[in-house]
Amino acid sequence: MNMLKNILLVFLGGGFGCTARYLVSLLLSKCKDCLGGFPIHTMTANFLGCLCIGLIIGYLSKNPNNTIQLLLVTGFCGGFTTFSTFSSEVLKLFQGGQSGMALLYMGISLVICLAATLIGTLIMK
């Protein structure tokens, strides 16, 4: 029963996060044309998601709560933008004195994710 509750918390938070992400895109869709195609909607969502996950993790460091963790960090922030999770993980590595691992993670993530997107696009063409 506890596993089902956890799954539902992530599901609900993710649904709200995805919806919020879509609303950010709608609100800023016209700005993209004003900025020469710069993806301001994605940049804004990434910024807001990173700010949000930072605030929540900061709060949870003083007030641990698994329900809030699952609903807001894993669910909402994960649904809003996975970049927030990536940023949080990189920050943890840096704060834990693992700067080399943080830089490696950042570099590998960038390279393999761009390559995977390119490969997927080429396969489907």
Side-chain angles (χ1 to χ4, degrees), residues 19-95:
T19 302
R21 172 69 177 85
Y22 177 66
L23 292 174
V24 167
S25 290
L26 285 179
L27 288 171
L28 297 175
S29 64
K30 292 180 182 165
C31 295
K32 186 170 62 170
D33 296 333
C34 302
L35 299 171
F38 183 83
I40 190 70
H41 55 292
T42 302
M43 185 65 131
T44 300
N46 286 340
F47 169 77
L48 292 173
C50 291
L51 177 62
C52 185
I53 204 169
L55 291 169
I56 297 166
I57 288 172
Y59 172 82
L60 290 174
S61 70
K62 296 175 185 171
N63 308 286
N65 183 315
N66 193 52
T67 299
I68 292 174
Q69 170 82 27
L70 291 171
L71 181 69
L72 297 181
V73 174
T74 306
F76 182 82
C77 290
F80 190 64
T81 171
T82 56
F83 195 79
S84 61
T85 304
F86 170 75
S87 296
S88 172
E89 291 170 343
V90 169
L91 185 61
K92 278 184 197 173
L93 288 169
F94 276 121
Q95 289 174 335

